[in-house]
Amino acid sequence: MLRASRGLWKQRPQAISANFTQQPFLLARASFGRVTDHCYLSTSSTQLIQTKFAHWIDHKTGRLDTAKLEAKWKARWAEIKPKESALSKAPLSAEEIQRIFYVLVMFPYPSGVLHMGHVRVYTISDMLARFHRMNGKTVLHPMGWDAFGLPAENAAIERGIAPHEWTQRNIGIMKEQLSRILADFDWDRELATCDPEYYKWTQHTFLQLFKHNKVYRKEAVVNWDPIDQTVLANEQVDKDGRSWRSGAIVEQRKLKQWFARITDYAQELLDDLETLDWPEHVKSMQANWIGRSEGAEFVFKLDTSTTTSKASPITVFTSRPDTLFGVSYLAIAPDHPLVSTDFLPSSHASHVLDRAQELLNNLSGGSDRAQKTKMGVFTGIYANHPLDPERKIPVYIADYVLSSYGTGAVMGVPAHDMRDYEFCQENAVPVHRPVVESETAESTSPVFVGLGKLRKIPENGEFGGISSKKAGLAIVSAAAAKGLGKRVVNYRLRDWLLSRQRYWGAPVPVIHCSDCGTVPVPESDLPVELPKNIVLSGCGGSPLAQATDWLNCKCPQCHGPAKRDTDTLDTFVDSSWYFLRYTDPRNTSCPFDASRASAAMPVDLYIGGVEHAILHLLYSRFISKFLWKTGAYGLNALNQRSDIAKEVRVAISQRENGGARNGEPFKRLLTQGMVHGLTYKDPASGRFLKPEEVDARGSSPRIIQTGETPHMSFEKMSKSKYNGVDPGDTVSKYGADATRLHMLYLAPPQDVLEWDTVSIVGMQRWINRVGRLVDTACKSVSSEPFACSADDQKKWNKEAKETYRQTHIAIQRVTESLETTFAFNTAIAALIELTNYLSAVKDHKHPVFGWSLMCLVKMLSPMAPSIGEELWEILRNCGYLRGLGYNHVSEGDSVFKHKWPVLDQKALQKLSTTIVVQINGKVRFKLEDVEADLEENAVLQLAKSHSQASKWLFDSQSQPKLILKVIHVPNKLVNFIVSK
């Protein structure tokens, strides 16, 4: 970057140029802003301004000086950034609300390392934000940090650094990395979930849930490290059920935990999926997670000869009530209330309790291992069949039954359920014969899982011979008449476990008093800040429980001695409302102003990884709906305010009902696939190879040590596979613009992207071609302004008309790609094709060529922002834009302040066409370059006067043949049916 100084102006030109050996720069006085042969200095900036793109290219290497070019534009953007952004004032006018476009990318965890997956998603969001801004939208494009979580706590233990210090350092590093890929975010809205000014309002949201009875506390199973005496997250338990730190076998213990009643919203979370413009597979994943199923609950009373009369009956849910008579056993969770010396037969109690604990421990780290095995133990207890009390059903403990799901008990029907059949085989449980059979064909499998009809056997009684559907309804009615059954709707969804026994999270804002019980922290006392100077060791239980000065407090109600809750909130709570805080991030009196949030919500476009398709999105939907229902934002909240004009309410109503309704937070969702890296593996040992172990030159890579050809594949980037790519290295070598273009071009965003830098040179070459095209054009500044009325177009020559059409084809393809289909590779392909076309245009002085070149630069700019800005500035400074009559450009101008090219649908029509001429249905010749939409008579005259017509339409005596019929397909063919 060159800077003018008083000292420089006093030097001779030779002395000045000696300071810059790469290009023969000549400097003009900054006070005049005068253009020289090569460059000039702006009057409003000390930035160097080039008048030729070629001056950015090293003539020895042919490479673009991307570092200097990008540095120039990052500095310029910092100067011209608007002082006020969207939602800077409230309430907004109806017109301002209608212009808002909220594009949001899922905020990252500040690990300190930006990987290629980050580059992909932030390139996409930045491009789309710039695109919508050029389309006249007031774009909201914020960024923040999902900063709480286990990694920072682990780093504190391993490195001896406080979590907040580690986090802040990483945020600084990642902000610089984001700057390197030219991402333009609303940094004035930046937030971090670990900031007390943010988690104050996370705690406030928890208290609102508490107030509306949407959170509660109950015992739940946790992973317990018996050596370190601490709770472990599932990811801290290895595949063998051992603690990642101590190596101890992890136990399952019950602790009191906080839960949110998300199940209260299960049906509307399911129903409102239909209002969302989301990928179908994501909506399907959400629907399956919610898991609505219609069925029945049956009550099995316990046989009092095998247990005490105080034991409660076992209630089970089934979606197949027609199989009730096929029950072979009941299965309960290892921690079911019946698993107790109070209820187990003394002959079985000791063994059963030991086995139950083993089964519980097998669940450590999640239930995956339990789903792969079918371990169980007989309790010694029997239950009575609801409709056949003489039948005694054995009760087993099974590791696939979870106490937190449903009633913690299921009925086992091995003849009609494969899991139940496998359990019986594994645990030697007698299998009751099938009670349902196929209505169409005899099944040879021992397990028939389909619907059919009930077999006419004694067990089925009066229900034999009835179809599964009708029999199911009749069986439920019969059980209901005895008070032992009912029809119910069940959901797979469970209430959200909110609490974590960790330090680095938002403390649960609750106080426990021996007299008053559970007392919420008063709003005036928020935030409940994390205590400082805690030594984190990973041992000894909750870190907050050890901070006695912080732990001991006074009860807000009776003012007696009390203790704070030592749990912290799940990080999903932090990320379940951050999109609302972005609308009003500096508000100190409430989480956000209702009018600001209502003006921006729902988010127009939410972008992020498909790996977050279930939990993050589901929890965000729940919290957003809760806040909307309780009047934190939305039309209902504004209807209570007298300062909101009627037309503003109408605008917000239109926004609320424009697709995503009922408090849904994200109107449209774009999920991008992972980025995979090229992976080398030794064919002999299967060992992953480091890049330096492979000679990748040429078309056939070789292992340096052995000379063998390695196995090559594209796999998820990871340290263990040595296939990670440092985005910083890629940007340094190829430039941010080429990196962005390459990332967008390699694959559609929803697909896995196989990262390969071999073809990135194609993007570099294209950039240089566009630059040469601009440099060439600047030598031929148009002398007449661009005008495209119907009368003007009649005066254009054929080349100008085709240029206009080709440009609008590109405008249509690029606009559709960025606005609707998200086929970004198609957009870039369209721009490359337009570049190729313009490179062949002969008349550069025609205003249509200039207009087309201007459109090309505009459409390129959101994808390659610094290149787009530079090309726009060159066109402006050489007088090219003003020559076209584009007078509303000024020094210091930005291409992103100008409107996106508007599509002219009429311009897409072909100017000329090729018409096939058939004689009696056979192609005989073609009419080339025929004016499009020519009338039939004119087409027939052209065909008859063609040089080939005499051969086919005239006889040997040169007399015209009799034309019996003519078939004309406009712009395609004409078929003469002639006499033979």
Side-chain angles (χ1 to χ4, degrees), residues 638-949:
L638 298 187
N639 283 337
Q640 311 302 317
R641 291 175 49 170
S642 59
D643 61 329
I644 307 297
K646 180 180 178 181
E647 58 270 20
V648 171
R649 288 191 176 92
V650 171
I652 289 175
S653 175
Q654 291 171 343
R655 189 169 181 89
E656 271 195 14
N657 295 295
R661 297 190 292 273
N662 303 327
E664 286 288 343
F666 312 121
K667 181 177 180 180
R668 192 171 188 193
L669 178 69
L670 170 58
T671 55
Q672 95 285 350
M674 291 185 176
V675 179
H676 286 187
L678 183 59
T679 310
Y680 297 105
K681 189 183 289 187
D682 189 317
S685 65
R687 180 177 64 89
F688 290 107
L689 299 170
K690 298 177 181 179
E692 56 267 27
E693 295 181 271
V694 179
D695 181 359
R697 295 173 297 178
S699 58
S700 181
R702 290 285 184 270
I703 301 174
I704 294 173
Q705 188 174 5
T706 65
E708 291 185 76
T709 300
H711 288 157
M712 294 182 292
S713 61
F714 282 93
E715 299 184 26
K716 182 181 177 180
M717 291 184 179
S718 70
K719 292 180 180 179
S720 62
K721 296 177 182 178
Y722 309 110
N723 63 351
V725 177
D726 183 352
D729 293 343
T730 305
V731 169
S732 296
K733 186 174 182 179
Y734 302 104
D737 291 299
T739 299
R740 289 166 58 114
L741 289 168
H742 188 55
M743 184 72 76
L744 295 167
Y745 189 65
L746 279 178
Q750 66 273 16
D751 292 354
V752 168
L753 187 152
E754 296 180 346
W755 180 256
D756 182 3
T757 56
V758 173
S759 57
I760 197 171
V761 294
M763 292 297 113
Q764 290 180 305
R765 290 171 184 156
W766 176 43
I767 288 171
N768 290 346
R769 286 188 66 202
V770 178
R772 288 196 299 272
L773 195 60
V774 167
D775 283 353
T776 302
C778 286
K779 298 175 183 177
S780 308
V781 177
S782 175
S783 58
E784 55 180 306
F786 173 73
C788 61
S789 68
D791 290 338
D792 291 315
Q793 293 185 37
K794 290 178 182 178
K795 302 174 186 177
W796 294 349
N797 57 38
K798 186 176 179 181
E799 183 183 65
K801 290 179 180 178
E802 183 61 18
T803 300
Y804 189 68
R805 190 178 79 88
Q806 290 292 337
T807 305
H808 277 288
I809 290 174
I811 292 171
Q812 181 187 48
R813 291 176 63 190
V814 177
T815 303
E816 284 183 356
S817 295
L818 272 59
E819 197 167 53
T820 57
T821 66
F822 299 139
F824 307 133
N825 51 337
T826 300
I828 293 176
L831 294 180
I832 292 174
E833 290 172 16
L834 181 59
T835 304
N836 295 339
Y837 175 83
L838 292 178
S839 298
V841 170
K842 296 178 181 179
D843 186 2
H844 288 187
K845 286 190 175 182
H846 198 288
V848 174
F849 174 83
W851 167 83
S852 179
L853 184 59
M854 184 178 66
C855 290
L856 172 62
V857 171
K858 280 185 176 182
M859 291 188 287
L860 170 64
S861 296
M863 306 170 195
S866 70
I867 293 295
E869 289 277 37
E870 186 62 29
L871 295 174
W872 183 261
E873 184 176 78
I874 290 171
L875 287 173
R876 184 198 72 208
N877 291 336
C878 73
Y880 204 84
L881 298 180
R882 285 194 176 90
L884 291 168
Y886 212 79
N887 296 318
H888 51 292
V889 291
S890 59
E891 192 173 305
D893 186 41
S894 168
V895 66
F896 298 110
K897 291 185 177 180
H898 295 277
K899 290 183 178 180
W900 186 260
V902 178
L903 176 64
D904 179 359
Q905 288 285 351
K906 293 181 180 179
L908 300 175
Q909 298 174 1
K910 280 190 174 184
L911 302 175
S912 63
T913 187
T914 297
I915 295 179
V916 173
V917 179
Q918 296 179 339
I919 307 297
N920 292 337
K922 294 185 178 180
V923 177
R924 297 306 185 186
F925 57 91
K926 296 178 181 179
L927 303 177
E928 303 285 355
D929 201 22
V930 177
E931 181 183 343
D933 300 321
L934 201 61
E935 293 182 357
E936 182 177 341
N937 288 336
V939 173
L940 297 181
Q941 288 302 318
L942 285 175
K944 291 175 181 178
S945 60
H946 192 276
S947 59
Q948 293 287 316

Side-chain angles (χ1 to χ4, degrees), residues 353-374:
L353 290 173
D354 289 343
R355 289 288 289 134
Q357 188 59 51
E358 288 179 25
L359 297 179
L360 269 177
N361 292 341
N362 190 50
L363 299 173
S364 300
S367 58
D368 288 348
R369 288 189 302 284
Q371 299 303 321
K372 295 175 183 176
T373 63
K374 296 293 179 288

Side-chain angles (χ1 to χ4, degrees), residues 320-325 435-440 448 450-456 460-476:
R320 291 290 304 275
D322 58 316
T323 65
L324 179 64
F325 293 105
V435 294
V436 179
E437 61 185 2
S438 172
E439 290 187 290
T440 57
F448 175 64
L451 296 174
K453 65 179 179 180
L454 270 65
R455 299 174 66 198
K456 293 183 178 180
N460 285 333
E462 63 185 283
F463 307 102
I466 304 177
S467 69
S468 289
K469 188 174 181 180
K470 290 182 178 179
L473 295 173
I475 288 171
V476 174

Side-chain angles (χ1 to χ4, degrees), residues 376-407:
V377 60
F378 177 49
T379 63
I381 300 174
Y382 285 87
N384 300 322
H385 192 284
L387 297 183
D388 186 3
E390 298 303 315
R391 277 185 62 188
K392 306 301 180 184
I393 312 298
V395 179
Y396 280 74
I397 295 172
D399 59 0
Y400 65 82
V401 184
L402 304 176
S403 61
S404 58
Y405 182 62
T407 63

Side-chain angles (χ1 to χ4, degrees), residues 60 111 114 120 124 262-263 282 344 376 397 625 646 726 798 813 880 902:
K60 293 181 180 179
S111 63
L114 201 67
R120 188 182 197 189
I124 291 171
I262 190 173
T263 51
V282 175
L344 293 170
I397 295 172
K625 284 176 173 292
K646 180 180 178 181
D726 183 352
K798 186 176 179 181
R813 291 176 63 190
Y880 204 84
V902 178

